[in-house]
Amino acid sequence: MKHSSVETEAAVDAARRVAPGALSRRSFLKIAGAAGGGLVLAFYLGERASAAVQFAPNAFLQISADGSIVILSKGPEIGQGIKTALPMIIAEELDADWSAVRIEQAPINPAVFGRQSAGGSRSIPNNWDQLRRAGAVARAMLVAAAARQWQVPEGQCSTQRSRVLHRSSGRSLGYGELASKAAALPVPDEKSVVLKARDDYRLLGTRVPGVDNSKIVAGEPLFGIDQVLPGMLFAVYQKCPATGGRVRNANLAEIRALPGVRAAFVVEGNGRVTEVMPGVAILASSTWAALSARQRLQVSWDETNAAKDSWSGAIARAEELARQPGAQTLRNVGDVDSAFAGAAKTVEALYTYPFLAHAPLEPQNCTAWYRDGAVEIWAPTQTPEAGLKAVANTLAIPESRVTLHQTRVGGGFGRRLMNDYMCEVALIAKHAAAPVKLIWPREEDMRHDFYRVGGFHAFKGAVDAAGRLAAWNDHFITFSADGAQPVSGGGISGDDFPALLVPSFRLTQTQLPLQVPCGPWRAPGSNAIAFAVQSFVHELAVAAGRDHVEFLLEIMGAPRWLEPGNERSLNTGRAAAVIKRAAQEADWGKPLPPGSGRGLAFHFSHAGHFAEIAEVSVDARRKLRVQRVTVVGDVGPVINLSGAENQCQGAVIDGLSAALGLEITIENGRVQQTNFDHYPLLRMPQAPQRIDVHFIQSDFPPTGLGEPALPPIAPALCNAIFAATGERIRALPLSKAGITV
């Protein structure tokens, strides 16, 4: 494949130069000419762009005269496959020959490319229409150019594999041959172009390898931690183990005298936990010198305002509160008390889940070069736009003086939505006359996370004489930093399942104080709530003497949107379909040997409907083996089947890892786990023997996929353990109950 790197780099550089704020959000396309002759289609999200039909250097899609195609992938690649999936959307509507496509990471410039971030499983939903229309408009212009050359109606032309075809005459022209002619045509209105129907997709829904796969296998420098610059120094940054502590004094003179150390100094910070907290910075000539000096560092901390949080204290307090009404009522419909009084059976249970760390395999890192009042950053971030603002705020410089290069991310899961490591290295680099790479040791990464918050659900449920779910009461006990709102990831909605499906439903909430920072962890909220809710649904099915699948389908009722008109709300028909398909694929109801069992769970999150069934065995030594996990999801049309399957399999592994043995405990404001010896991620021999993934592809708008496949696995696992042993798991991780893998 031939391409002009000079042309591509020129377009990319020009995209960087467009002033932020100069463009609005919904204008769409503009033509730009490549230096060597070709068609460049650029997204213009600005006020003046819709009326502008002229050459523009900031390209999103480039077709060169030799037929090669360059597509810029706008979103951060954090392992979710988006660097491949987003260009596939454009390529599908363009009818491009994928083998002729080269993918480049787009420069960070939201004014040109729109929202550039990865989180909330929003990359596909947010860009679906935008990218489809980009490809469709380009295809329409290429068809128009061919029709003019042949002097035939455009309706007689079609496209396939980067060629325009005139079937009645047998003529065809490649996109490269048409690029310059197409560039001279007016851009059609984006709303006028015809988008493909799902049945016409040739690329979407197939298995496409990740565009970086070979580079990853070869160990090429793609990640933030790989960055190297001439004369670079290496930094470590030590903060108080308890959030909010400040430096009283440190043995800086001793540290400065150590081999390879270039500087050591106190950073006061700006008091924002998402930017720069107080600490001690060490600059050295190598990573080894910096880490060795850190081991010799002795800091006396002023902990007057530091966190004093205690997880054991929170557990004790929650057990007391569970016997009382909640402090706040979030939803109260029907007559809950009367329903309990007249119930055939009632069940009460307290469910507990712990704090969790993100623990990405690539710890936090960032490289910065501060020069002449400006800073250049190389960062593995999920939120580059927010990072630009945070660094500018930290250094008190305009955003225009911050240049950010997006690197591939070695795991995010929500941790890299916050950009504290970027702010720290920017401030440290300001004190150095050289580029600086900051690397957090694993211990710092574990101690200074934005944790998945722990929580408690004190349930009471009722079934009537016919075995139907009649009443539900949940006293949700969570944490708050300000006494007003739950911490990030610690909230629950009054509309969450099964709120809108139970005749009598009450949800109350009590908030415990917390200073340790929390944040989104893969499928925020849902990752923990699903364990409690879907396990308790199974408890009620057992109490009613009902099959779990039958009981759950009865709760769903007739097919409908729970929020009419909102296609991102739960659809009971789609929910029922994934539950039935999961039961079919997992051989639900088929006898298993003694000590084995299947467990089902459904959950709706990030607009994705997922049902999962775990099949397990538990031996006399309480050793657990996960034999098979069946995953069925409805997320609309699947973009890359290979990537989608990988995301679901990864979600299952991630969720199992957390459920089996992961917890963060906090005492006196200090996280007690500092490395993988006390935070044991799932190992390969412990993984399920099979993870079967199935999709019900629908014509609804696509939803996210990186997150909604995770929440059902923990309750499916625990329900399977009950089926195998009769033991009900109400607290995670399973290791607390003596169950091992």
Side-chain angles (χ1 to χ4, degrees):
M1 180 182 68
K2 297 179 179 179
H3 62 268
S4 170
S5 60
V6 173
E7 294 168 12
T8 303
E9 290 170 7
V12 168
D13 288 342
R16 291 193 184 103
R17 291 196 296 270
V18 175
L23 306 168
S24 73
R25 286 196 64 80
R26 292 306 300 170
S27 310
F28 188 46
L29 288 174
K30 197 174 182 182
I31 303 179
L39 173 65
V40 177
L41 291 172
F43 278 99
Y44 265 58
L45 305 173
E47 297 290 345
R48 301 187 302 271
S50 59
V53 181
Q54 60 189 34
F55 285 110
N58 53 320
F60 198 87
L61 165 65
Q62 175 182 316
I63 302 175
S64 297
D66 64 0
S68 63
I69 300 171
V70 174
I71 301 177
L72 300 187
S73 187
K74 61 184 284 189
E77 175 57 70
I78 62 172
Q80 84 283 40
I82 216 68
K83 190 175 180 181
T84 305
L86 292 183
M88 284 178 65
I89 297 171
I90 297 175
E92 177 64 70
E93 290 291 349
L94 180 63
D95 258 345
D97 178 355
W98 185 252
S99 67
V101 173
R102 182 164 59 89
I103 309 302
E104 298 283 352
Q105 186 70 48
I108 301 304
N109 193 331
V112 173
F113 297 101
R115 180 179 183 265
Q116 292 179 280
S117 63
S121 283
R122 296 295 303 171
S123 293
I124 295 296
N126 283 353
N127 295 292
W128 173 242
D129 285 335
Q130 182 191 46
L131 300 184
R132 280 200 301 165
R133 294 189 185 281
V137 168
R139 175 165 47 87
M141 295 172 71
L142 291 160
V143 167
R148 286 194 179 194
Q149 182 166 331
W150 293 327
Q151 296 184 341
V152 300
E154 293 177 19
Q156 293 182 6
C157 300
S158 61
T159 55
Q160 185 174 346
R161 292 182 61 83
S162 294
R163 299 192 70 82
V164 179
L165 313 175
H166 186 242
R167 295 195 182 278
S168 62
S169 67
R171 289 176 290 184
S172 72
L173 288 167
Y175 285 178
E177 300 172 86
L178 294 166
S180 294
K181 295 180 178 65
L185 298 178
V187 180
D189 182 349
E190 63 175 72
K191 296 179 181 178
S192 70
V193 297
V194 177
L195 301 176
K196 287 186 177 183
R198 184 165 59 88
D199 290 343
D200 296 327
Y201 291 161
R202 297 187 178 98
L203 181 63
L204 297 189
T206 65
R207 291 182 172 86
V208 175
V211 296
D212 285 339
N213 283 4
S214 60
K215 295 178 181 179
I216 293 171
V217 171
E220 293 189 28
L222 301 172
F223 298 90
I225 207 165
D226 295 328
Q227 302 309 303
V228 177
L229 294 172
M232 187 170 70
L233 297 178
F234 299 83
V236 291
Y237 188 55
Q238 179 96 16
K239 292 175 285 196
C240 181
T243 301
R246 306 182 68 86
V247 179
R248 182 178 287 117
N249 55 66
N251 60 333
L252 297 181
E254 178 186 344
I255 298 302
R256 291 170 184 146
L258 293 174
V261 173
R262 300 293 179 82
F265 50 90
V266 172
V267 176
E268 293 298 335
N270 61 12
R272 296 183 181 91
V273 70
T274 55
E275 294 180 8
V276 184
M277 294 299 287
V280 176
I282 300 173
L283 281 166
S285 57
S286 68
T287 304
W288 176 254
L291 292 174
S292 298
R294 178 182 174 273
Q295 291 180 343
R296 300 279 294 274
L297 181 65
Q298 298 176 11
V299 184
S300 173
W301 301 102
D302 177 357
E303 298 188 35
T304 304
N305 298 314
K308 305 295 190 298
D309 302 310
S310 167
W311 175 236
S312 62
I315 292 174
R317 180 62 179 143
E319 289 173 347
E320 295 174 358
L321 291 168
R323 297 188 288 270
Q324 307 170 20
Q328 303 165 277
T329 299
L330 303 183
R331 185 178 185 86
N332 191 3
V333 296
D335 192 336
V336 176
D337 294 332
S338 295
F340 280 125
K345 290 185 179 179
T346 62
V347 179
E348 296 187 56
L350 176 64
Y351 279 79
T352 303
Y353 45 84
F355 286 73
L356 294 177
H358 292 85
L361 293 187
E362 179 191 26
Q364 312 314 312
N365 67 89
C366 192
T367 301
W369 195 352
Y370 186 91
R371 293 170 289 174
D372 303 322
V375 66
E376 195 167 3
I377 301 276
W378 290 260
T381 174
Q382 290 182 241
T383 53
E385 299 171 56
L388 285 170
K389 293 179 172 60
V391 169
N393 181 69
T394 298
L395 298 179
I397 60 176
E399 286 183 43
S400 60
R401 302 291 287 167
V402 182
T403 301
L404 176 57
H405 304 284
Q406 176 73 52
T407 70
R408 192 177 174 101
V409 182
F413 318 112
R415 172 59 181 90
R416 287 180 162 104
L417 295 172
M418 285 66 69
N419 294 294
D420 45 337
Y421 50 93
M422 288 175 61
C423 297
E424 289 172 359
V425 74
L427 201 57
I428 293 169
K430 190 175 181 180
H431 290 77
V436 175
K437 179 193 284 187
L438 171 69
I439 299 176
W440 287 24
R442 178 61 61 189
E443 292 80 3
E444 287 296 292
D445 198 51
M446 295 286 283
R447 285 194 188 106
H448 294 289
D449 202 347
F450 292 80
Y451 303 96
R452 195 288 297 274
V453 64
F456 313 86
H457 291 261
F459 288 123
K460 184 177 181 180
V463 293
D464 62 20
R468 295 185 296 260
L469 178 59
W472 182 284
N473 187 85
D474 179 6
H475 178 187
F476 175 49
I477 302 168
T478 185
F479 294 85
S480 174
D482 60 8
Q485 299 293 329
V487 297
S488 177
I492 190 171
S493 168
D495 292 338
D496 278 1
F497 179 90
L500 304 179
L501 297 166
V502 185
S504 296
F505 181 93
R506 181 164 58 214
L507 172 64
T508 61
Q509 174 179 276
T510 300
Q511 301 178 81
L512 303 178
L514 184 73
Q515 192 171 340
V516 168
C518 295
W521 189 93
R522 195 171 185 172
S526 296
N527 57 58
I529 292 169
F531 156 65
V533 168
Q534 294 297 328
S535 295
F536 191 60
V537 167
H538 184 238
E539 286 206 55
L540 292 169
V542 171
R546 304 279 300 281
D547 174 78
H548 191 188
V549 170
E550 176 188 284
F551 188 72
L552 196 50
L553 290 174
E554 185 178 76
I555 292 174
M556 295 299 173
R560 65 201 186 281
W561 296 101
L562 290 190
E563 298 176 30
N566 179 8
E567 291 189 350
R568 289 190 63 82
S569 69
L570 191 153
N571 182 293
T572 57
R574 297 174 77 179
V578 296
I579 293 167
K580 291 176 182 177
R581 177 75 179 277
Q584 173 189 337
E585 298 289 349
D587 300 319
W588 185 263
K590 183 178 180 180
L592 289 170
S596 298
R598 296 186 188 92
L600 163 72
F602 163 84
H603 197 71
F604 171 79
S605 76
H606 296 79
H609 299 73
F610 274 87
E612 297 178 14
I613 293 177
E615 183 178 314
V616 309
S617 61
V618 184
D619 66 19
R621 299 170 299 162
R622 297 176 63 76
K623 187 173 180 63
L624 171 73
R625 183 64 173 147
V626 183
Q627 307 290 351
R628 176 167 62 148
V629 175
T630 302
V631 180
V632 178
D634 180 352
V635 293
V638 171
I639 308 303
N640 181 358
L641 185 55
S642 175
E645 290 170 340
N646 290 343
Q647 281 296 290
C648 291
Q649 291 164 344
V652 167
I653 295 294
D654 207 3
L656 283 175
S657 185
L660 292 169
L662 301 185
E663 65 174 334
I664 289 292
T665 56
I666 304 163
E667 297 300 336
N668 194 31
R670 287 164 162 76
V671 170
Q672 297 181 306
Q673 293 73 22
T674 59
N675 214 315
F676 292 136
D677 56 339
H678 293 107
Y679 197 76
L681 300 181
L682 195 72
R683 300 301 180 94
M684 291 180 69
Q686 302 165 334
Q689 293 184 351
R690 288 173 55 187
I691 303 177
D692 300 327
V693 179
H694 308 274
F695 293 103
I696 298 176
Q697 298 211 42
S698 59
D699 290 320
F700 297 108
T703 75
L705 185 54
E707 298 180 271
L710 183 142
I713 186 58
L717 174 68
C718 294
N719 293 340
I721 291 172
F722 179 86
T725 67
E727 178 180 357
R728 180 64 65 183
I729 303 297
R730 295 191 179 112
L732 295 179
L734 290 172
S735 56
K736 297 179 74 69
I739 295 176
T740 62
V741 289

